[in-house]
Amino acid sequence: GKSFLKVTSILMIIGGGLAIISAIIAIMGISALAALFESTEGLGMFYVAGGTLLVAAIIQLIAGIKGIGASGKKPEKAASCVIWGGIIIALTVVGNVVSIMAGSELQIISIILSLALPILYIIGALQLKNSYNATNGAM
Protein backbone atom coordinates (compact mmCIF):
# COMPACT_ATOMS: atom_id res chain seq x y z
CA GLY A 1 0.00 0.00 0.00
CA LYS A 2 2.86 2.38 0.76
CA SER A 3 4.36 2.40 -2.73
CA PHE A 4 0.95 2.35 -4.39
CA LEU A 5 -0.20 5.38 -2.40
CA LYS A 6 3.10 7.19 -3.00
CA VAL A 7 2.90 6.71 -6.80
CA THR A 8 -0.75 7.78 -6.98
CA SER A 9 0.01 10.74 -4.69
CA ILE A 10 2.79 11.91 -6.98
CA LEU A 11 0.43 11.62 -9.93
CA MET A 12 -2.21 13.55 -7.97
CA ILE A 13 0.28 16.34 -7.29
CA ILE A 14 1.24 16.53 -10.96
CA GLY A 15 -2.39 16.35 -12.08
CA GLY A 16 -3.48 18.89 -9.47
CA GLY A 17 -0.80 21.33 -10.56
CA LEU A 18 -1.73 20.97 -14.22
CA ALA A 19 -5.42 21.26 -13.40
CA ILE A 20 -4.81 24.47 -11.44
CA ILE A 21 -3.10 25.95 -14.49
CA SER A 22 -5.93 24.71 -16.74
CA ALA A 23 -8.61 26.14 -14.44
CA ILE A 24 -6.92 29.54 -14.33
CA ILE A 25 -6.63 29.55 -18.13
CA ALA A 26 -10.30 28.51 -18.44
CA ILE A 27 -11.47 31.26 -16.09
CA MET A 28 -9.33 33.79 -17.96
CA GLY A 29 -10.85 32.58 -21.25
CA ILE A 30 -14.36 32.96 -19.89
CA SER A 31 -13.46 36.46 -18.70
CA ALA A 32 -12.07 37.26 -22.15
CA LEU A 33 -15.37 36.13 -23.70
CA ALA A 34 -17.27 38.32 -21.25
CA ALA A 35 -15.08 41.30 -22.17
CA LEU A 36 -15.42 40.58 -25.88
CA PHE A 37 -19.21 40.45 -25.72
CA GLU A 38 -19.34 43.13 -23.02
CA SER A 39 -21.66 40.92 -21.04
CA THR A 40 -21.50 37.97 -18.67
CA GLU A 41 -25.00 36.85 -19.64
CA GLY A 42 -25.05 33.10 -20.21
CA LEU A 43 -21.54 32.60 -18.83
CA GLY A 44 -22.52 31.94 -15.21
CA MET A 45 -22.43 28.16 -15.53
CA PHE A 46 -19.02 28.35 -17.19
CA TYR A 47 -17.73 30.40 -14.27
CA VAL A 48 -19.18 27.81 -11.87
CA ALA A 49 -17.53 24.99 -13.85
CA GLY A 50 -14.20 26.82 -13.87
CA GLY A 51 -14.44 27.56 -10.16
CA THR A 52 -15.33 23.95 -9.38
CA LEU A 53 -12.37 22.80 -11.46
CA LEU A 54 -10.07 25.15 -9.58
CA VAL A 55 -11.32 24.02 -6.15
CA ALA A 56 -11.06 20.35 -7.18
CA ALA A 57 -7.53 20.89 -8.49
CA ILE A 58 -6.41 22.55 -5.24
CA ILE A 59 -7.94 19.73 -3.22
CA GLN A 60 -6.26 17.19 -5.50
CA LEU A 61 -2.91 18.88 -4.88
CA ILE A 62 -3.51 18.85 -1.11
CA ALA A 63 -4.57 15.19 -1.24
CA GLY A 64 -1.40 14.31 -3.13
CA ILE A 65 0.73 16.03 -0.52
CA LYS A 66 -1.18 14.29 2.29
CA GLY A 67 -0.72 10.95 0.51
CA ILE A 68 3.02 11.46 0.27
CA GLY A 69 3.08 12.16 4.02
CA ALA A 70 1.00 9.08 4.81
CA SER A 71 3.10 6.83 2.60
CA GLY A 72 6.25 8.14 4.24
CA LYS A 73 6.49 8.55 7.98
CA LYS A 74 2.82 8.83 8.93
CA PRO A 75 0.91 5.70 7.78
CA GLU A 76 -1.69 6.39 10.49
CA LYS A 77 -2.87 9.28 8.27
CA ALA A 78 -3.96 6.87 5.51
CA ALA A 79 -7.58 6.99 6.71
CA SER A 80 -7.73 10.73 6.05
CA CYS A 81 -6.43 10.07 2.53
CA VAL A 82 -9.53 7.95 1.88
CA ILE A 83 -11.67 10.96 2.80
CA TRP A 84 -9.62 13.29 0.56
CA GLY A 85 -10.00 10.82 -2.31
CA GLY A 86 -13.77 10.72 -1.76
CA ILE A 87 -13.93 14.51 -1.84
CA ILE A 88 -12.03 14.54 -5.13
CA ILE A 89 -14.41 11.98 -6.63
CA ALA A 90 -17.42 14.02 -5.49
CA LEU A 91 -15.98 17.24 -6.93
CA THR A 92 -15.13 15.47 -10.18
CA VAL A 93 -18.72 14.30 -10.54
CA VAL A 94 -20.08 17.75 -9.63
CA GLY A 95 -17.70 19.42 -12.07
CA ASN A 96 -18.77 17.12 -14.88
CA VAL A 97 -22.47 17.66 -14.11
CA VAL A 98 -22.01 21.44 -14.08
CA SER A 99 -20.04 21.26 -17.31
CA ILE A 100 -22.83 19.27 -18.97
CA MET A 101 -25.42 21.74 -17.65
CA ALA A 102 -23.34 24.54 -19.16
CA GLY A 103 -23.68 22.92 -22.57
CA SER A 104 -20.67 20.64 -22.86
CA GLU A 105 -21.13 17.23 -24.40
CA LEU A 106 -21.13 14.14 -22.16
CA GLN A 107 -17.69 12.52 -22.44
CA ILE A 108 -17.90 9.09 -20.79
CA ILE A 109 -14.23 8.22 -21.41
CA SER A 110 -13.13 11.56 -19.97
CA ILE A 111 -15.25 11.01 -16.85
CA ILE A 112 -13.87 7.49 -16.38
CA LEU A 113 -10.30 8.71 -16.80
CA SER A 114 -10.82 11.61 -14.39
CA LEU A 115 -12.17 9.20 -11.76
CA ALA A 116 -9.47 6.54 -12.26
CA LEU A 117 -6.66 8.25 -10.34
CA PRO A 118 -8.72 9.21 -7.26
CA ILE A 119 -10.08 5.65 -7.12
CA LEU A 120 -6.56 4.21 -7.32
CA TYR A 121 -5.47 6.73 -4.66
CA ILE A 122 -8.25 5.50 -2.35
CA ILE A 123 -7.29 1.87 -3.00
CA GLY A 124 -3.67 2.66 -2.06
CA ALA A 125 -4.79 4.52 1.06
CA LEU A 126 -7.04 1.62 2.09
CA GLN A 127 -4.22 -0.87 1.58
CA LEU A 128 -1.87 1.23 3.71
CA LYS A 129 -4.55 1.77 6.35
CA ASN A 130 -5.30 -1.96 6.55
CA SER A 131 -1.63 -2.94 6.77
CA TYR A 132 -1.02 -0.27 9.42
CA ASN A 133 -4.02 -1.44 11.44
CA ALA A 134 -2.96 -5.10 11.12
CA THR A 135 0.56 -4.25 12.28
CA ASN A 136 -0.61 -2.15 15.22
CA GLY A 137 -3.61 -4.26 16.22
CA ALA A 138 -6.14 -1.49 15.51
CA MET A 139 -9.38 -1.80 13.58
mmCIF file with all atom_site columns, all heavy atoms in Angstrom, residues 90-101:
data_model
loop_
_atom_site.group_PDB
_atom_site.id
_atom_site.type_symbol
_atom_site.label_atom_id
_atom_site.label_alt_id
_atom_site.label_comp_id
_atom_site.label_asym_id
_atom_site.label_entity_id
_atom_site.label_seq_id
_atom_site.pdbx_PDB_ins_code
_atom_site.Cartn_x
_atom_site.Cartn_y
_atom_site.Cartn_z
_atom_site.occupancy
_atom_site.B_iso_or_equiv
_atom_site.pdbx_formal_charge
_atom_site.auth_seq_id
_atom_site.auth_comp_id
_atom_site.auth_asym_id
_atom_site.auth_atom_id
_atom_site.pdbx_PDB_model_num
ATOM 1  N N   . ALA A 1 90  ? -16.179 13.237 -5.529  1.00 0.00 ? 90  ALA A N   1
ATOM 2  C CA  . ALA A 1 90  ? -17.424 14.019 -5.490  1.00 0.00 ? 90  ALA A CA  1
ATOM 3  C C   . ALA A 1 90  ? -17.289 15.293 -6.311  1.00 0.00 ? 90  ALA A C   1
ATOM 4  O O   . ALA A 1 90  ? -18.186 15.629 -7.103  1.00 0.00 ? 90  ALA A O   1
ATOM 5  C CB  . ALA A 1 90  ? -17.789 14.348 -4.041  1.00 0.00 ? 90  ALA A CB  1
ATOM 6  N N   . LEU A 1 91  ? -16.181 16.003 -6.162  1.00 0.00 ? 91  LEU A N   1
ATOM 7  C CA  . LEU A 1 91  ? -15.982 17.238 -6.930  1.00 0.00 ? 91  LEU A CA  1
ATOM 8  C C   . LEU A 1 91  ? -15.838 16.965 -8.419  1.00 0.00 ? 91  LEU A C   1
ATOM 9  O O   . LEU A 1 91  ? -16.275 17.770 -9.245  1.00 0.00 ? 91  LEU A O   1
ATOM 10 C CB  . LEU A 1 91  ? -14.771 18.002 -6.404  1.00 0.00 ? 91  LEU A CB  1
ATOM 11 C CG  . LEU A 1 91  ? -14.988 18.707 -5.072  1.00 0.00 ? 91  LEU A CG  1
ATOM 12 C CD1 . LEU A 1 91  ? -13.676 19.282 -4.545  1.00 0.00 ? 91  LEU A CD1 1
ATOM 13 C CD2 . LEU A 1 91  ? -16.028 19.801 -5.199  1.00 0.00 ? 91  LEU A CD2 1
ATOM 14 N N   . THR A 1 92  ? -15.245 15.837 -8.770  1.00 0.00 ? 92  THR A N   1
ATOM 15 C CA  . THR A 1 92  ? -15.127 15.466 -10.180 1.00 0.00 ? 92  THR A CA  1
ATOM 16 C C   . THR A 1 92  ? -16.504 15.240 -10.781 1.00 0.00 ? 92  THR A C   1
ATOM 17 O O   . THR A 1 92  ? -16.808 15.727 -11.871 1.00 0.00 ? 92  THR A O   1
ATOM 18 C CB  . THR A 1 92  ? -14.263 14.192 -10.337 1.00 0.00 ? 92  THR A CB  1
ATOM 19 O OG1 . THR A 1 92  ? -12.961 14.449 -9.812  1.00 0.00 ? 92  THR A OG1 1
ATOM 20 C CG2 . THR A 1 92  ? -14.150 13.772 -11.786 1.00 0.00 ? 92  THR A CG2 1
ATOM 21 N N   . VAL A 1 93  ? -17.353 14.547 -10.058 1.00 0.00 ? 93  VAL A N   1
ATOM 22 C CA  . VAL A 1 93  ? -18.716 14.299 -10.537 1.00 0.00 ? 93  VAL A CA  1
ATOM 23 C C   . VAL A 1 93  ? -19.483 15.617 -10.641 1.00 0.00 ? 93  VAL A C   1
ATOM 24 O O   . VAL A 1 93  ? -20.127 15.892 -11.667 1.00 0.00 ? 93  VAL A O   1
ATOM 25 C CB  . VAL A 1 93  ? -19.444 13.295 -9.609  1.00 0.00 ? 93  VAL A CB  1
ATOM 26 C CG1 . VAL A 1 93  ? -20.927 13.209 -9.942  1.00 0.00 ? 93  VAL A CG1 1
ATOM 27 C CG2 . VAL A 1 93  ? -18.786 11.923 -9.704  1.00 0.00 ? 93  VAL A CG2 1
ATOM 28 N N   . VAL A 1 94  ? -19.390 16.458 -9.602  1.00 0.00 ? 94  VAL A N   1
ATOM 29 C CA  . VAL A 1 94  ? -20.081 17.754 -9.625  1.00 0.00 ? 94  VAL A CA  1
ATOM 30 C C   . VAL A 1 94  ? -19.579 18.602 -10.790 1.00 0.00 ? 94  VAL A C   1
ATOM 31 O O   . VAL A 1 94  ? -20.368 19.213 -11.522 1.00 0.00 ? 94  VAL A O   1
ATOM 32 C CB  . VAL A 1 94  ? -19.902 18.504 -8.284  1.00 0.00 ? 94  VAL A CB  1
ATOM 33 C CG1 . VAL A 1 94  ? -20.343 19.954 -8.387  1.00 0.00 ? 94  VAL A CG1 1
ATOM 34 C CG2 . VAL A 1 94  ? -20.665 17.795 -7.181  1.00 0.00 ? 94  VAL A CG2 1
ATOM 35 N N   . GLY A 1 95  ? -18.272 18.648 -10.973 1.00 0.00 ? 95  GLY A N   1
ATOM 36 C CA  . GLY A 1 95  ? -17.695 19.420 -12.073 1.00 0.00 ? 95  GLY A CA  1
ATOM 37 C C   . GLY A 1 95  ? -18.181 18.954 -13.432 1.00 0.00 ? 95  GLY A C   1
ATOM 38 O O   . GLY A 1 95  ? -18.489 19.771 -14.308 1.00 0.00 ? 95  GLY A O   1
ATOM 39 N N   . ASN A 1 96  ? -18.288 17.646 -13.609 1.00 0.00 ? 96  ASN A N   1
ATOM 40 C CA  . ASN A 1 96  ? -18.775 17.117 -14.877 1.00 0.00 ? 96  ASN A CA  1
ATOM 41 C C   . ASN A 1 96  ? -20.258 17.423 -15.078 1.00 0.00 ? 96  ASN A C   1
ATOM 42 O O   . ASN A 1 96  ? -20.676 17.747 -16.193 1.00 0.00 ? 96  ASN A O   1
ATOM 43 C CB  . ASN A 1 96  ? -18.505 15.615 -14.968 1.00 0.00 ? 96  ASN A CB  1
ATOM 44 C CG  . ASN A 1 96  ? -17.072 15.312 -15.325 1.00 0.00 ? 96  ASN A CG  1
ATOM 45 O OD1 . ASN A 1 96  ? -16.578 15.741 -16.351 1.00 0.00 ? 96  ASN A OD1 1
ATOM 46 N ND2 . ASN A 1 96  ? -16.384 14.582 -14.463 1.00 0.00 ? 96  ASN A ND2 1
ATOM 47 N N   . VAL A 1 97  ? -21.041 17.335 -14.017 1.00 0.00 ? 97  VAL A N   1
ATOM 48 C CA  . VAL A 1 97  ? -22.472 17.663 -14.115 1.00 0.00 ? 97  VAL A CA  1
ATOM 49 C C   . VAL A 1 97  ? -22.653 19.135 -14.475 1.00 0.00 ? 97  VAL A C   1
ATOM 50 O O   . VAL A 1 97  ? -23.443 19.479 -15.368 1.00 0.00 ? 97  VAL A O   1
ATOM 51 C CB  . VAL A 1 97  ? -23.206 17.301 -12.801 1.00 0.00 ? 97  VAL A CB  1
ATOM 52 C CG1 . VAL A 1 97  ? -24.609 17.894 -12.781 1.00 0.00 ? 97  VAL A CG1 1
ATOM 53 C CG2 . VAL A 1 97  ? -23.256 15.798 -12.609 1.00 0.00 ? 97  VAL A CG2 1
ATOM 54 N N   . VAL A 1 98  ? -21.908 20.010 -13.799 1.00 0.00 ? 98  VAL A N   1
ATOM 55 C CA  . VAL A 1 98  ? -22.010 21.445 -14.083 1.00 0.00 ? 98  VAL A CA  1
ATOM 56 C C   . VAL A 1 98  ? -21.574 21.728 -15.521 1.00 0.00 ? 98  VAL A C   1
ATOM 57 O O   . VAL A 1 98  ? -22.200 22.516 -16.234 1.00 0.00 ? 98  VAL A O   1
ATOM 58 C CB  . VAL A 1 98  ? -21.177 22.267 -13.079 1.00 0.00 ? 98  VAL A CB  1
ATOM 59 C CG1 . VAL A 1 98  ? -21.056 23.717 -13.512 1.00 0.00 ? 98  VAL A CG1 1
ATOM 60 C CG2 . VAL A 1 98  ? -21.798 22.182 -11.690 1.00 0.00 ? 98  VAL A CG2 1
ATOM 61 N N   . SER A 1 99  ? -20.530 21.074 -15.956 1.00 0.00 ? 99  SER A N   1
ATOM 62 C CA  . SER A 1 99  ? -20.039 21.257 -17.314 1.00 0.00 ? 99  SER A CA  1
ATOM 63 C C   . SER A 1 99  ? -21.089 20.833 -18.343 1.00 0.00 ? 99  SER A C   1
ATOM 64 O O   . SER A 1 99  ? -21.299 21.521 -19.349 1.00 0.00 ? 99  SER A O   1
ATOM 65 C CB  . SER A 1 99  ? -18.755 20.446 -17.500 1.00 0.00 ? 99  SER A CB  1
ATOM 66 O OG  . SER A 1 99  ? -18.222 20.650 -18.770 1.00 0.00 ? 99  SER A OG  1
ATOM 67 N N   . ILE A 1 100 ? -21.760 19.734 -18.077 1.00 0.00 ? 100 ILE A N   1
ATOM 68 C CA  . ILE A 1 100 ? -22.826 19.269 -18.974 1.00 0.00 ? 100 ILE A CA  1
ATOM 69 C C   . ILE A 1 100 ? -23.992 20.250 -18.950 1.00 0.00 ? 100 ILE A C   1
ATOM 70 O O   . ILE A 1 100 ? -24.565 20.583 -19.996 1.00 0.00 ? 100 ILE A O   1
ATOM 71 C CB  . ILE A 1 100 ? -23.266 17.839 -18.587 1.00 0.00 ? 100 ILE A CB  1
ATOM 72 C CG1 . ILE A 1 100 ? -22.146 16.851 -18.913 1.00 0.00 ? 100 ILE A CG1 1
ATOM 73 C CG2 . ILE A 1 100 ? -24.554 17.449 -19.309 1.00 0.00 ? 100 ILE A CG2 1
ATOM 74 C CD1 . ILE A 1 100 ? -22.334 15.481 -18.298 1.00 0.00 ? 100 ILE A CD1 1
ATOM 75 N N   . MET A 1 101 ? -24.331 20.755 -17.765 1.00 0.00 ? 101 MET A N   1
ATOM 76 C CA  . MET A 1 101 ? -25.415 21.736 -17.653 1.00 0.00 ? 101 MET A CA  1
ATOM 77 C C   . MET A 1 101 ? -25.072 23.026 -18.396 1.00 0.00 ? 101 MET A C   1
ATOM 78 O O   . MET A 1 101 ? -25.964 23.717 -18.876 1.00 0.00 ? 101 MET A O   1
ATOM 79 C CB  . MET A 1 101 ? -25.717 22.034 -16.183 1.00 0.00 ? 101 MET A CB  1
ATOM 80 C CG  . MET A 1 101 ? -26.388 20.887 -15.458 1.00 0.00 ? 101 MET A CG  1
ATOM 81 S SD  . MET A 1 101 ? -26.563 21.150 -13.677 1.00 0.00 ? 101 MET A SD  1
ATOM 82 C CE  . MET A 1 101 ? -27.469 22.677 -13.607 1.00 0.00 ? 101 MET A CE  1
#
